[in-house]
Amino acid sequence: MAETVKATNITWHQGDIVRANREAANGHRATVIWFTGLSASGKSTLAHAVENTLFERGCRTYVLDGDNIRHGLNKDLGFSPEDREENIRRIGEVAKLFVDAGVIAMTAFISPYRADRAKARSLCPDSFTEIYVKCDLAVCEERDPKGLYKKARAGQVKEFTGISAPYEEPESPELVIDTSHESLEESAAKVIAYLEAKGIVPAA
Amino acid sequence: MAETVKATNITWHQGDIVRANREAANGHRATVIWFTGLSASGKSTLAHAVENTLFERGCRTYVLDGDNIRHGLNKDLGFSPEDREENIRRIGEVAKLFVDAGVIAMTAFISPYRADRAKARSLCPDSFTEIYVKCDLAVCEERDPKGLYKKARAGQVKEFTGISAPYEEPESPELVIDTSHESLEESAAKVIAYLEAKGIVPAA
């Protein structure tokens, strides 16, 4: 009986659904789109704008951001360098799972350290688009939608990127989006155009 | 300018794609299917068999199991009670993300503790199907595809569920599948029938 069971296992495992099957069914490639930049630079807003367009076109997408990660999977982590590293490590691993599931996985986290972003890229080396959401610190601080810059300046929030913790700019991101000088619509269109040019999604 | 940006954010966030949009596009509900049972009981094999059928029907699915979790997201965790708890906590959180993404997320882990499974359920209380993959220990030990039971009996693998660590049987799972006495085809058909009966996937 053990023999029979093992043989059955093998048959089924040969037939397992893999990423290529899912991509074929979805009509687009799976990839990680890794948005990085200062707090309030517009990463999450841009990711959701891109998602809206892709969803209208029938693409499978998902945005990982502070809202669904920091209160869930990574609620045990703080903002020390070690915890930031583990935060980004886990996000990279989850993004990899979504890519394996055939999804365009967008991540919207400050992810201030080059080494951590490089590790995330190494998990999906052929399917990783790093987008630097560039925005002047002064503009971010003026936006300050959650009042975090104000608190950081007052010393009430420790290790705040751009104020009391470093942000390491990407050296060779696939794309730079300057949200200080571009509208959200322009920014989203640039990302979509990039995905089309790379054959990740079909041209509209 | 800060005002304009904030207003734009709000507009876009109102238009964000949520789970209900994805379920409508997919033509089925999203849910967690949580397989629990001894090592070699057939959890992962059953999950993949269910996935094969659902994929053929055009459903969006993903299987989380040892192959894609233990070497990735949870590679920092061992098999102590604390690490097992954190292992299951993270898997529950990732399954929740997949459900939010509109996917039928199947998890195939021993998940031996009732309390940990209850916590995973509490993350998706309305979308959680616990399936006890029941199999006699003697049958699991006879199958022993990875030779783990042999090693556990020899004391070479510590804290092995069923041998040197406890397995807490589910008290009220949605479904019990007895893989000691049912074929894989029968088992998979039962799971599909359950999903159809609950309106999670359309009847074929």
Side-chain angles (χ1 to χ4, degrees):
Chain A
M1 175 164 179
E3 284 306 306
T4 311
V5 170
K6 278 184 194 171
T8 307
N9 284 1
I10 289 161
T11 305
W12 278 98
H13 277 287
Q14 284 179 339
D16 279 356
I17 306 305
V18 298
R19 174 178 164 184
N21 303 117
R22 304 177 202 278
E23 291 179 325
N26 291 345
H28 61 81
R29 300 281 305 281
T31 194
V32 178
I33 307 179
W34 191 281
F35 296 91
T36 173
L38 295 174
S39 180
S41 59
K43 302 176 297 298
S44 191
T45 302
L46 178 54
H48 283 285
V50 170
E51 171 161 78
N52 286 349
T53 299
L54 293 177
F55 184 82
E56 279 168 23
R57 295 191 189 181
C59 299
R60 264 63 195 181
T61 60
Y62 194 63
V63 176
L64 301 168
D65 63 15
D67 287 345
N68 54 25
I69 290 292
R70 275 286 185 184
H71 303 292
L73 178 65
N74 291 357
K75 68 181 176 185
D76 55 326
L77 302 174
F79 291 87
S80 69
E82 296 72 26
D83 278 8
R84 283 177 189 258
E85 182 181 345
E86 174 64 6
N87 180 51
I88 297 304
R89 185 192 73 81
R90 291 187 198 167
I91 291 159
E93 292 285 3
V94 172
K96 182 183 178 178
L97 294 172
F98 273 95
V99 166
D100 193 41
V103 175
I104 296 173
M106 290 180 267
T107 67
F109 297 89
I110 299 172
S111 45
Y113 302 128
R114 276 186 204 118
D116 297 343
R117 295 192 302 263
K119 276 186 213 157
R121 180 187 292 270
S122 74
L123 297 177
C124 300
D126 303 323
S127 309
F128 194 91
T129 302
E130 184 175 358
I131 300 184
Y132 177 23
V133 182
K134 192 174 173 145
C135 185
D136 297 339
L137 178 61
V139 174
C140 293
E141 208 164 344
E142 194 187 337
R143 291 176 182 169
D144 203 14
K146 298 171 191 164
L148 293 172
Y149 282 98
K150 194 168 285 182
K151 285 185 182 170
R153 289 287 183 196
Q156 294 161 1
V157 173
K158 306 285 181 197
E159 306 191 90
F160 194 78
T161 301
I163 306 295
S164 45
Y167 178 78
E168 298 175 359
E169 289 197 316
E171 289 175 323
S172 50
E174 274 75 8
L175 214 56
V176 179
I177 301 286
D178 181 347
T179 65
S180 316
H181 299 99
E182 286 172 17
S183 72
L184 178 59
E185 290 71 15
E186 287 170 321
S187 301
K190 274 193 183 174
V191 178
I192 299 290
Y194 180 87
L195 297 176
E196 290 177 350
K198 290 292 174 182
I200 294 168
V201 302
Chain B
M1 175 167 182
E3 284 305 306
T4 311
V5 170
K6 279 184 194 171
T8 307
N9 283 3
I10 290 162
T11 304
W12 278 99
H13 277 286
Q14 284 180 338
D16 279 356
I17 307 304
V18 298
R19 174 179 164 184
N21 303 116
R22 304 177 201 278
E23 291 179 325
N26 291 344
H28 62 82
R29 300 278 306 279
T31 194
V32 179
I33 307 179
W34 191 281
F35 296 92
T36 174
L38 295 174
S39 181
S41 60
K43 301 177 296 298
S44 190
T45 302
L46 177 55
H48 283 286
V50 170
E51 170 161 79
N52 286 349
T53 299
L54 292 177
F55 184 81
E56 279 168 24
R57 296 192 189 181
C59 299
R60 263 66 194 181
T61 60
Y62 194 62
V63 177
L64 301 168
D65 62 14
D67 287 345
N68 55 25
I69 290 292
R70 276 286 186 183
H71 302 293
L73 178 65
N74 291 357
K75 68 181 177 187
D76 55 325
L77 302 174
F79 292 88
S80 69
E82 296 72 25
D83 279 8
R84 282 177 190 259
E85 181 181 346
E86 174 64 5
N87 181 51
I88 297 304
R89 185 192 74 80
R90 291 187 199 168
I91 291 159
E93 293 284 3
V94 172
K96 181 183 179 180
L97 293 172
F98 273 96
V99 167
D100 193 41
V103 175
I104 296 172
M106 290 181 268
T107 67
F109 297 88
I110 299 172
S111 45
Y113 302 127
R114 274 185 207 120
D116 296 343
R117 296 193 302 263
K119 276 186 212 159
R121 180 187 293 268
S122 74
L123 297 176
C124 299
D126 303 323
S127 310
F128 194 91
T129 301
E130 185 175 0
I131 300 185
Y132 177 24
V133 182
K134 191 173 174 147
C135 185
D136 296 340
L137 179 61
V139 175
C140 294
E141 209 165 343
E142 195 188 338
R143 291 176 183 170
D144 203 15
K146 298 170 191 163
L148 292 172
Y149 282 98
K150 194 168 283 181
K151 285 185 182 169
R153 290 287 183 196
Q156 293 161 2
V157 173
K158 305 285 180 199
E159 307 192 87
F160 194 77
T161 301
I163 305 295
S164 45
Y167 178 78
E168 298 175 358
E169 290 197 317
E171 289 175 325
S172 49
E174 274 74 8
L175 213 56
V176 179
I177 301 287
D178 182 347
T179 65
S180 316
H181 299 100
E182 287 171 18
S183 73
L184 179 57
E185 291 71 14
E186 287 170 322
S187 301
K190 274 194 184 175
V191 177
I192 299 290
Y194 180 87
L195 298 176
E196 289 176 350
K198 290 292 174 184
I200 294 167
V201 302

